[in-house]
Amino acid sequence: MEKKKILIVSKSFYPEISPRSFRTTELVKEFCRLGHDVTLYTLKDNEVQQLLVKEFGFKLKGLGKLRFKNLKLNKNNPIEFLIKRIIKRISLMFLEYPDIELMFKVKKVLKQEDGYDLLISIAVPHPVHWGVAWARKNNHPIAKKWIADCGDAYMGVIKHDSFGKLFYFKYFEKWFCRKADYIAIPNINMRVNYYNEFAHKIVEIPQGFKFEDVANSNKFENNSVPTFAFTGSFIRTTRNPDRLLKYLSQLDIDFKFVIYTNTTELIDHYRSILGNKLVIKNYIPRDELIEEISRMDFLINIGYDPAQQAPSKLIDYQLSGRPILNFITNEIDKQMLNEFLSGNYKNAFVYSDIEKFRIENVCNNFLGHS
């Protein structure tokens, strides 16, 4: 295989725990395993990240220190909380604050880069793409090919946010789409969320994982009571656990529902209702998470439509070896839930083509468009 010179730009990288961090980290590691010359621009955390640099041999460069700070909300002071929440929402809606700073950071660092075979920029946040579009010019292309990797569209993701994006940001999205050679999305059906004029640039490149890293993680033993888990964030409009938790609170059976999340607003009031039947935990590293959920009787996902989404956590679920109970919307199928609680998993969700998520295949997919 011909050795390629690859540049990756991403806000998120190891040790951050997020789908975009996993995306970046796995790509960097596998491209290095394949023998390519890899350079990564990200927010540096030298002490931890240098261990990966030493192991895999890529070049790690910093985007610089971010000066725009995210407002911290203090729930203990209701008035302060409300005021800061309004300011935070307005700043995000009108200015894409604080992530807009990344557009300037990326543009600045890429001025000194050129001669690559492939440039991959990773969003969210989308200002990473905007910075690449600003830096890439006819007389300074940076790389022969630029693939803008998107978990979601920017303007087309309105349905997940009750406030939506303001109209003028469509020019930013069209700007980077016009300049990119390809736009990578995890599920080709999500193409409908993009402007039709760029449909010919859109390719499907799903999230990638090193299957061997979790091949021996299945630790399942029979639990004394039905024990199940959910991992990830909640969204009031599309991934709301309220109906599920309300129904569970009406059941006169013992169970344990473990939730790994950093968004507890929609579930906090169920702590007292469900007591020790509900266990809420913070996010943990991915390898630890897969090992923990492999001990569950089954796993729950809410608000997933296979025609429109490809959340990486469902691959983690699949690799854990445990049955998956998937609700396409916030409407809970009580009959199916009762089946799972009784140990009947005949309606478990299964990915039909798990091999496309193998990191080796994902990297070759990228290289095939370089």
Side-chain angles (χ1 to χ4, degrees):
M1 180 185 295
E2 179 187 357
K3 183 177 181 179
K4 300 276 189 178
K5 191 176 180 184
I6 301 172
L7 174 62
I8 299 176
V9 184
S10 175
K11 177 188 178 184
S12 305
F13 186 59
Y14 177 86
E16 179 183 318
I17 301 174
S18 72
R20 295 292 88 189
S21 174
F22 299 153
R23 175 67 151 180
T24 306
T25 306
E26 293 302 317
L27 286 177
V28 167
K29 289 160 63 175
E30 186 60 25
F31 280 134
C32 289
R33 290 190 194 103
L34 293 172
H36 300 291
D37 181 356
V38 180
T39 298
L40 169 67
Y41 270 103
T42 190
L43 300 180
K44 290 177 69 174
D45 183 345
N46 287 323
E47 184 176 346
V48 178
Q49 294 168 346
Q50 286 300 325
L51 296 175
L52 286 186
V53 172
K54 184 176 181 180
E55 180 178 357
F56 292 94
F58 61 95
K59 302 178 184 69
L60 178 64
K61 299 185 179 182
L63 289 170
K65 186 176 181 180
L66 296 181
R67 301 184 182 278
F68 293 4
K69 303 300 182 182
N70 208 343
L71 284 178
K72 294 183 179 180
L73 303 180
N74 180 11
K75 293 183 180 180
N76 296 324
N77 187 328
I79 296 178
E80 178 187 342
F81 176 82
L82 178 61
I83 292 173
K84 284 190 174 182
R85 188 174 183 181
I86 292 173
I87 294 173
K88 185 175 182 178
R89 170 55 65 176
I90 291 175
S91 301
L92 175 63
M93 286 180 62
F94 285 87
L95 300 173
E96 195 60 28
Y97 180 94
D99 288 330
I100 191 64
E101 183 181 7
L102 285 164
M103 180 175 71
F104 300 92
K105 294 289 188 183
V106 170
K107 187 250 185 180
K108 181 179 179 180
V109 299
L110 291 189
K111 286 173 62 177
Q112 60 193 0
E113 299 292 344
D114 207 1
Y116 290 88
D117 296 298
L118 176 62
L119 164 59
I120 302 172
S121 58
I122 296 176
V124 293
H126 281 260
V128 171
H129 294 331
W130 305 347
V132 175
W134 196 1
R136 198 177 195 227
K137 305 181 185 302
N138 290 335
N139 62 352
H140 182 232
I142 305 171
K144 296 175 183 176
K145 297 291 182 180
W146 169 28
I147 302 177
D149 186 68
C150 304
D152 283 303
Y154 183 76
M155 296 299 291
V157 81
I158 288 176
K159 60 186 177 183
H160 296 302
D161 189 336
S162 56
F163 288 90
K165 306 291 185 182
L166 293 183
F167 72 95
Y168 49 80
F169 281 112
K170 73 178 181 181
Y171 299 109
F172 287 80
E173 184 162 38
K174 288 191 173 187
W175 180 34
F176 93 77
C177 287
R178 193 175 296 113
K179 284 198 167 189
D181 294 292
Y182 295 100
I183 302 161
I185 60 177
N187 185 322
I188 198 62
N189 294 306
M190 298 166 66
R191 180 172 48 192
V192 298
N193 298 323
Y194 290 80
Y195 295 104
N196 190 54
E197 63 196 272
F198 305 111
H200 64 287
K201 294 186 175 186
I202 295 177
V203 296
E204 179 180 288
I205 306 181
Q207 185 82 306
F209 304 93
K210 190 70 174 175
F211 287 7
E212 289 75 13
D213 290 347
V214 296
N216 299 315
S217 66
N218 198 320
K219 307 293 184 181
F220 181 72
E221 297 179 3
N222 289 328
N223 292 295
S224 58
V225 300
T227 303
F228 48 100
F230 172 90
T231 73
S233 60
F234 294 113
I235 303 172
R236 188 176 299 276
T237 54
T238 60
R239 199 183 302 139
N240 194 327
D242 186 67
R243 286 188 174 91
L244 171 61
L245 291 170
K246 184 177 294 184
Y247 179 68
L248 288 173
S249 66
Q250 297 168 358
L251 297 179
D252 188 23
I253 61 171
D254 288 331
F255 62 83
K256 180 182 290 186
F257 185 17
V258 185
I259 298 177
Y260 299 84
T261 188
N262 63 355
T263 53
T264 64
E265 293 85 356
L266 298 178
I267 61 176
D268 279 334
H269 65 286
Y270 282 101
R271 293 177 189 265
S272 59
I273 297 173
L274 288 169
N276 59 12
K277 293 182 179 180
L278 178 64
V279 179
I280 302 174
K281 297 185 177 184
N282 291 326
Y283 287 148
I284 58 177
R286 180 173 171 265
D287 53 348
E288 295 178 25
L289 175 66
I290 295 177
E291 183 168 342
E292 286 200 14
I293 64 177
S294 71
R295 295 187 174 95
M296 306 290 168
D297 290 290
F298 63 92
L299 307 170
I300 283 184
N301 191 55
I302 305 170
Y304 166 65
D305 181 352
Q308 290 293 318
Q309 297 168 287
S312 59
K313 72 176 175 186
L314 276 174
I315 308 304
D316 289 343
Y317 280 12
Q318 188 92 5
L319 294 176
S320 75
R322 304 312 306 140
I324 303 170
L325 173 55
N326 179 59
F327 300 120
I328 291 180
T329 68
N330 296 331
E331 296 293 336
I332 302 303
D333 187 326
K334 297 177 182 178
Q335 179 179 341
M336 193 184 302
L337 177 57
N338 289 336
E339 289 175 356
F340 271 68
L341 288 170
S342 64
N344 180 354
Y345 308 128
K346 66 179 181 180
N347 290 310
F349 173 83
V350 179
Y351 261 120
S352 59
D353 186 13
I354 192 71
E355 284 299 310
K356 70 180 181 181
F357 300 99
R358 190 179 288 276
I359 189 61
E360 297 92 327
N361 296 332
V362 169
C363 284
N364 286 330
N365 202 341
F366 272 105
L367 293 171
H369 293 92
S370 64

